[in-house]
Amino acid sequence: MKFIRLNITVEGQTEERFVKDTLASHLGHFDISTDVRRVLTSKDKYKAYRGGLLSYARAKKDIETWLKEDRNSDICFTTMFDLYALPNDFSCCEEAQRINDPYDKVAFLEQAMNDEIGDHRFFAYIQLHEFEALVLANARNLECEPTAKSVSLVKRGYSFWKNVGQSPTRYGPGQSPEPA
Amino acid sequence: MAKAASKHCQVIMATQSPRLVDEFTADEIVIVEWNEEQNSSEFSRLDENQLSDWLERYSLSELWEKNVLGGQP
């Protein structure tokens, strides 16, 4: 099998650690080696307290600079940006606001970004659920936190969403969590 | 101080301080990383020309933090 290199541009330190500590070894099983760079630094700390990428223009420039620096054709580039608090200057942001289905919205934004970057090695990835939601997605991992009551609550929530077969963030406040 | 001393002899400093790094140019910096597979340390000197597009927008300490330079924990 051919060895693939994957360069990931992420938002901040949390995502960077996730790629280094978890994703890199997982992708290693598929002969994919990863390199990760982040957009935000500690200088952004005070502005970034609400989370999110702050400036799409800056993220885009970071990606373009990396694409230019590493011209090999056997490298793939991707991103790990949250949909939540995606900056307003993101490509086609206004059009995307009119799309109700969150999966369609993400697909639309990713395509818009791919078109704008315009390099066949680049495939945008936008995270529908915040990174933290992924960390908590497997309720069983929380069993190591031995508060019996909270574990059983988490389990109930877990089986509930599993049965519903839909993701929690599909529903806004007051909406009924029934499958669409 | 390091620059004054370097007129008389070669000065090598090891640091984890971003602020100290900003006092120097890219060409003066060598990144040391542990290579687990080879079981050895790898030294690589930064290339100012290669980094020029990055250096237009960021300081060396920022690039270090962004993992553009490597040499991170």
Side-chain angles (χ1 to χ4, degrees):
Chain A
M1 201 165 119
K2 206 180 149 203
F3 204 74
I4 298 168
R5 282 167 56 199
L6 181 65
N7 289 348
I8 311 176
T9 303
V10 303
E11 266 180 36
Q13 196 174 17
T14 320
E15 290 88 354
E16 187 189 347
R17 278 261 67 95
F18 166 72
V19 172
K20 282 182 174 169
D21 296 345
T22 308
L23 194 62
S25 62
H26 174 72
L27 291 177
H29 296 306
F30 303 96
D31 283 333
I32 298 168
S33 72
T34 48
D35 193 3
V36 58
R37 292 180 181 180
R38 64 172 137 132
V39 176
L40 301 174
T41 67
S42 49
K43 283 198 176 168
D44 302 302
K45 201 158 52 184
Y46 299 103
K47 289 176 275 172
Y49 69 103
R50 287 160 73 189
L53 199 56
L54 299 175
S55 157
Y56 169 62
R58 176 165 149 200
K60 184 175 163 236
K61 197 93 210 311
D62 277 11
I63 294 162
E64 286 170 341
T65 311
W66 203 359
L67 282 161
K68 204 174 137 197
E69 185 190 330
D70 216 339
R71 289 194 181 278
N72 281 323
S73 58
D74 65 338
I75 305 175
C76 291
F77 289 78
T78 190
T79 57
M80 198 172 153
F81 299 152
D82 282 346
L83 178 65
Y84 174 79
L86 206 64
N88 291 332
D89 63 340
F90 203 88
S91 38
C92 306
C93 195
E94 269 176 42
E95 272 175 86
Q97 292 303 331
R98 277 179 245 131
I99 303 172
N100 287 324
D101 184 282
Y103 295 97
D104 290 346
K105 186 183 281 185
V106 164
F108 175 82
L109 285 166
E110 285 174 349
Q111 189 56 49
M113 195 173 172
N114 289 345
D115 293 346
E116 205 174 88
I117 299 273
D119 190 308
H120 67 279
R121 299 173 299 162
F122 177 80
F123 309 91
Y125 175 73
I126 293 165
Q127 179 93 2
L128 170 58
H129 309 294
E130 274 186 83
F131 171 76
E132 289 77 0
L134 288 188
V135 176
L136 299 173
N138 189 347
R140 294 203 168 86
N141 287 347
L142 291 179
E143 283 174 5
C144 57
E145 301 287 339
T147 332
K149 202 177 171 188
S150 62
V151 168
S152 77
L153 275 175
V154 169
K155 271 187 184 161
R156 257 166 54 205
Y158 179 71
S159 60
F160 171 75
W161 289 116
K162 208 175 168 185
N163 292 338
V164 170
Q166 296 284 4
S167 58
T169 44
R170 272 182 80 98
Y171 306 100
Q175 279 181 292
S176 137
E178 283 166 8
Chain B
M1 204 163 74
K3 277 177 184 163
S6 73
K7 281 177 187 146
H8 309 289
C9 63
Q10 186 176 26
V11 180
I12 298 173
M13 294 191 282
T15 184
Q16 291 181 324
S17 158
R19 281 181 60 195
L20 184 66
V21 159
D22 279 338
E23 298 297 321
F24 295 88
T25 62
D27 286 329
E28 294 170 320
I29 291 166
V30 175
I31 304 285
V32 185
E33 279 182 315
W34 180 250
N35 184 325
E36 225 159 272
E37 282 161 32
Q38 308 274 340
N39 217 15
S40 64
S41 297
E42 273 177 4
F43 292 67
S44 53
R45 188 174 283 274
L46 294 182
D47 182 339
E48 186 126 23
N49 291 329
Q50 207 189 316
L51 287 169
S52 59
D53 285 343
W54 289 107
L55 288 166
E56 272 173 30
R57 297 165 55 228
Y58 298 105
S59 68
L60 278 169
S61 61
E62 285 175 291
L63 292 176
W64 188 6
E65 218 184 322
K66 287 163 78 66
N67 201 29
V68 172
L69 307 182
Q72 275 197 350

